[in-house]
Amino acid sequence: MLPGSALEFLNWDWSRIESHFRDLRSRNLSGANIAAWLADWSRLKELIEEGQSRLYVAKTLDTADPQREQRYLRYLEEIYTPAEQQDQKLKQKLLASGLEPEGFAIPLRNLRAQSELYRDANLPLLEQEKKLSSDYDRIRGNQTVEWEGEEITISRLFLELEEPDRDRRARAWRLGRARQLQDREALNDLWLRFLDLRSELARNADLAEYRSYRWRQLLRFDYTPDDCRRFHEAIATVVVPAAVNVADRRKRALGISSLRPWDASADKNGREPLRPFVAVQELIDKGSAIFHHVDPVLGRYFDSMQSEKLLDLDNRKGKAPGGYNEPFAAARRPFIFMNAVGTAGDVETLLHEAGHAFHVFESASLPYYPQLQVPMEFAEVASMAMELLASPFLTTDHGGFYTDEQAPRARIDHLERILWFWPSMAVGDAFQHWVYEHPDAARDPANCDRTYAELVGRFMPFIDWSDLAQELRTGWQRVLHFFQVPFYYVEYGLAQLAAVQIWKNALEDQARAVRRYRSALRLGYTVPLAELYQAAGARFAFDPKALGEAVALIESTVERLEQRRGWDSNPR
Ligand SMILES: [Zn+2]
């Protein structure tokens, strides 16, 4: 009998787990028993995945505790990696049976691709890749600075970038970047180890280069590297001019002649920064009120996360950087990790991660694990659409964070940052295509520096980097995705586009848009990607037309909010 929870499962040793794999391998599959076999396999797989997730969460909560790290690494070696090997045998068994259980066409396609890519020789490398990711977290997590007599994290320091005093912002920005530059060599070394490991993964799988390997590993059936290039082009044509306009408006309002990197986050009208909450409990309570307005069921999901201790939101020294939502596969529950310090950006992050969390809740009733493995291209729709679906309820009269005065400001910031986001996404995606198209050149970090700077110059010409060459060039070192989850970047750009389409639907009929959103989340990964988008009321698209419509809607809404005409804190 398998244990009822992953916490219990974490006490199991490998031989006990292996006997369950043996049992699954020994059964003869038929139409009559396939459902039961899949259910048993799923249950085992979910426990293995959740075991890893639990230990991963524990270690990112305190990267300074070597025992948490050790526990995680030991699990990878003793349980997770051997399980992958056993799992491959079960995939082959299922595929060889020719059986196609209901709702399983997409999972079978995915399992077939995974099975073809699988090599025994890659197991230790994939494990090593996870260990290198821990090294990256540790380096970034330990970056602190002394600011006004106090030792603080870089996340906390960068709160200063929202202050109206421009000199103060510049000082904070330079201090933070100087601290990050101290780890430049360490990150360059780590980078080489990642690149070498990734070439080897591809070679072992009989592929000429890592991008082909990664494409298959990420199960990207619906678009090619050429589509990504077309998307970058469309962004350059359609979004960059709009992003330049945002920068020009900001410069005019701030009365400055050039926009420096420390001028991007402060209020353009020189007001004190929005500080929507102080204590983390306030973030949770107000977040809850907002989700209840979006949909009472979503509100209850969020409340259950609080009561089940599935939220860890405040910024502390030693916590890994960033924010994420981690599904606990066996419990069918999500966990949200954040580094909240009290900013408007933190509110957006909570809305975002909650969107991911709602995906876990909505798809929880699907019976088999492979149906729950949602493609990232759609997972980010769940999160990014939630940022916009929640936007009518941000005001205090809905129990939210902002006065009627502040809410338009927060919304304008958010929308303008979407226009800056697509170009920065194009930089990040194009950078990675360059890296893996030029694996030898990319082994010299100086080439990465140069390429990154060129791409920033092309897609984000509105930021003035004069006399900041080092800081500009090393920007790629601060993007954890390049190190930890390569090529996981274009998903955000695709999903942002869909999120704006869903928001457009919501402006016409909020209740219907939320209904479609929820029903698409419930599908898990049982229909093709384009159908998931369609179910949510969006179109899976790369083209200038779709981008142009999204940009136009954002621009007209910003204009309306700026004029305060037609601003209505009540949802339509
Ligand atoms: Zn996300």
Side-chain angles (χ1 to χ4, degrees), residues 394-412:
L394 296 174
T395 45
T396 47
D397 56 333
H398 293 100
F401 296 92
Y402 302 118
T403 63
D404 283 349
E405 197 81 8
Q406 293 168 329
R409 176 180 161 190
R411 294 196 58 192
I412 289 166

Side-chain angles (χ1 to χ4, degrees), residues 402-423:
Y402 302 118
T403 63
D404 283 349
E405 197 81 8
Q406 293 168 329
R409 176 180 161 190
R411 294 196 58 192
I412 289 166
D413 280 353
H414 181 208
L415 293 170
E416 290 188 335
R417 259 178 296 103
I418 292 177
L419 295 178
W420 279 2
F421 160 76
W422 271 306

